[in-house]
């Protein structure tokens, strides 16, 4: 079954196909079915239907903190609202941004695994 | 003191409290003149108040436990729910309730579009209320009719 990617930013129809195309261009044949909805509650219901083999990493917004705890997942806020982090001088854009994103993802996993 | 509960429109916060959001002068005068309603608000080019009243209302509603809020407005008007949610989680944790687990406030937006503001969005509102009930089965439901709705009005209620 194709993995699912949820996009919650309220993308208008004209840009949805272009975004879907980008999810076919990853290395190693990684693909995802892209689903657009700005209804976070619906996305959570869909995620709960999926059977995961391990602990889930939710890369979402601060709204998903409670949901991540409920399903015993890891969580990182990257999209608005980011009400659970202070960001002064950080970006996920560009090569250095990608490194920073990796740092934050693995910091969450390492910290959460030891403290939760 | 009259509560003005029957008023359709209340005065903006700065008028009610006698507070100011603009001051021309030096800090020394600001300190010495404050505290006695002696300060006069300096005119600003477009700001009437320090914040949208909606944020205060959102804060109060969010704190009502087991409530679900349906916000009948464009999704941008849901922005104040973010602060309401953050503060509610914070304050509930601070209280140290027994068996408390973090929760988000129950919040729905009808996501009114530009067309909806002209042609109405009663069906969207009905659908959103039904969906809110399906997901939460809330003992308390609160409906917020926001600026766009109140300007536009509806005969459906």
């Amino acid at each position: 079954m194709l993995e699912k990617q949820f996009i919650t930013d309220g993308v208008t129809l004209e840009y949805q196909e272009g975004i879907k195309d980008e999810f076919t261009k990853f290395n190693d044949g990684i693909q995802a079915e892209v689903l657009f909805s700005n209804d976070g509650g619906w996305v959570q219901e869909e995620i709960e239907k999926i059977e995961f083999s391990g602990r889930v990493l939710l890369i979402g917004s601060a709204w998903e903190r409670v949901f991540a705890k409920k399903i015993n997942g890891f969580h990182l806020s990257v999209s608005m609202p980011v009400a659970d982090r202070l960001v002064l001088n950080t970006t996920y854009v560009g090569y250095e941004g990608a490194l920073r994103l990796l740092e934050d993802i693995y910091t969450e996993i390492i910290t959460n695994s030891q403290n939760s | 003191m009259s509560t003005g509960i029957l008023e359709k429109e209340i005065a903006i916060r700065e008028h009610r409290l006698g507070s100011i959001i603009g001051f021309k002068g030096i800090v020394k005068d600001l300190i010495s003149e404050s505290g006695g309603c002696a300060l006069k608000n300096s005119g600003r080019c477009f700001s009437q108040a320090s914040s949208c009243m909606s944020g205060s209302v959102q804060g109060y509603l969010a704190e009502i436990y087991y409530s679900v809020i349906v916000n009948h407005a464009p999704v941008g008007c849901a922005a104040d729910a973010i602060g309401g949610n953050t503060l509610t989680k914070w304050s509930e944790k601070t209280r140290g309730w027994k068996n408390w687990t973090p929760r988000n406030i129950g919040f729905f937006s009808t996501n009114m579009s530009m067309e909806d503001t002209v042609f109405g969005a009663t069906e969207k509102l009905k659908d959103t209320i039904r969906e809110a009930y399906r997901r939460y089965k809330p003992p308390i439901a609160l409906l917020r009719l926001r600026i766009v709705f109140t300007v536009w009005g509806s005969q459906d209620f």
Side-chain angles (χ1 to χ4, degrees), chain B:
Chain B
M1 192 180 108
S2 166
T3 55
I5 201 164
L6 296 177
E7 296 290 324
K8 281 187 177 172
E9 187 182 349
I10 56 172
I12 63 172
R13 183 174 177 276
E14 270 55 48
H15 288 172
R16 284 182 285 122
L17 300 180
S19 61
I20 66 163
I21 55 171
F23 178 77
K24 285 176 192 161
I26 61 174
V27 175
K28 187 183 169 195
D29 291 342
L30 179 64
I31 293 169
S32 64
E33 291 172 21
S34 64
C37 293
L39 288 167
K40 188 173 180 301
N41 193 31
S42 290
R44 295 169 77 100
C45 51
F46 54 82
S47 298
Q48 285 184 314
S50 54
S51 69
C52 174
M53 205 123 49
S54 155
S56 309
V57 175
Q58 176 63 51
Y60 282 123
L61 295 183
E63 298 249 340
I64 302 173
Y65 213 93
Y66 298 125
S67 71
V68 166
I69 301 162
V70 173
N71 205 42
H72 190 35
V75 74
C77 292
D80 49 23
I82 298 164
N85 189 46
T86 309
L87 284 174
T88 303
K89 280 203 283 191
W90 192 339
S91 59
E92 285 182 2
K93 184 167 187 174
T94 307
R95 286 175 187 135
W97 290 337
K98 273 185 186 172
N99 304 322
W100 177 82
T101 51
R103 63 165 191 123
N104 281 331
I105 59 172
F107 188 88
F108 290 79
S109 168
T110 54
N111 199 4
M112 285 172 80
S113 65
M114 208 185 297
E115 289 79 18
D116 294 335
T117 62
V118 179
F119 300 112
T122 308
E123 283 307 311
K124 263 188 180 175
L125 177 59
K126 286 179 182 170
D127 289 346
T128 310
I129 291 172
R130 287 193 189 104
E131 189 61 18
Y133 182 76
R134 183 186 73 79
R135 291 185 195 177
Y136 283 85
K137 302 279 188 302
I140 304 166
L142 301 162
L143 177 62
R144 299 184 71 198
L145 304 173
R146 301 290 292 270
I147 289 173
V148 172
F149 177 86
T150 46
V151 169
W152 155 68
S154 173
Q155 302 303 313
D156 299 328
F157 285 87

Side-chain angles (χ1 to χ4, degrees), chain A residues 77 82-90 100 104:
Chain A
S77 289
V82 184
D84 54 341
R85 305 173 63 186
L86 174 65
V87 180
L88 293 178
N89 193 24
T90 300
R100 177 73 207 197
D104 288 351

Side-chain angles (χ1 to χ4, degrees), chain A residues 22-84:
Chain A
E22 290 300 317
F23 278 87
T24 64
K25 296 176 185 171
F26 294 123
N27 292 339
D28 304 323
I30 295 172
Q31 291 197 2
E33 178 190 359
V34 185
L35 299 166
F36 296 90
S37 173
N38 47 21
D39 182 347
W42 175 79
V43 173
Q44 290 183 11
E45 286 182 345
E46 289 298 305
I47 291 174
E48 281 190 293
K49 290 178 191 167
I50 303 171
E51 285 187 23
F52 297 103
S53 55
R55 289 185 69 188
V56 182
L57 167 66
L58 288 177
I59 300 177
S61 73
W63 285 115
E64 281 77 54
R65 274 196 83 80
V66 172
F67 179 62
K69 197 174 174 70
K70 181 184 168 192
I71 62 171
N72 191 30
F74 303 105
H75 173 263
L76 183 67
S77 289
V78 299
S79 64
M80 292 300 286
V82 184
D84 54 341

